[in-house]
Amino acid sequence: MSASPFVAELRQVGVVAVIRAASSEAAVELAQALVAGGVTGIEITYSTPDCARAIARCRALLPAACVGVGTVLTLDQLAAAVDAGARFAVSPHTD
């Protein structure tokens, strides 16, 4: 059985860096440095202020990166991240 296109992309990425930054601007700068260094899997956590904005900026500036969201606690957070362009989501729990 072959993997879905997304699972195949994650296998190609190999490593996903988790970013917890003090600001959305810092998160974008970290993501840019990671991609410049060859790490294209990026997860920006909701502990980062204005997380959805950071995701949207990364998607616009880093089209080759696989950008997702972490620490998703609510459906509203998930919806905002998806609207911002998140390719995947990580949650510590679900209700």
Side-chain angles (χ1 to χ4, degrees):
M1 175 187 279
S2 64
S4 72
F6 176 70
V7 170
E9 181 179 4
L10 280 182
R11 284 183 180 146
Q12 182 179 8
V13 165
V15 172
V16 176
V18 178
I19 296 175
R20 296 180 67 176
S23 68
S24 73
E25 294 82 11
V28 172
E29 289 175 12
L30 285 167
Q32 289 175 309
L34 285 162
V35 171
V39 177
T40 58
I42 306 292
E43 174 189 322
I44 301 174
T45 67
Y46 256 106
S47 59
T48 299
D50 212 357
C51 172
R53 180 172 177 233
I55 292 168
R57 292 283 299 144
C58 286
R59 294 282 291 151
L61 295 171
L62 306 166
C66 180
V67 181
V69 64
T71 320
V72 178
L73 301 176
T74 68
L75 289 175
D76 288 341
Q77 287 178 331
L78 179 61
V82 169
D83 288 347
R87 301 257 301 122
F88 63 90
V90 177
S91 177
H93 65 82
T94 57
D95 288 331

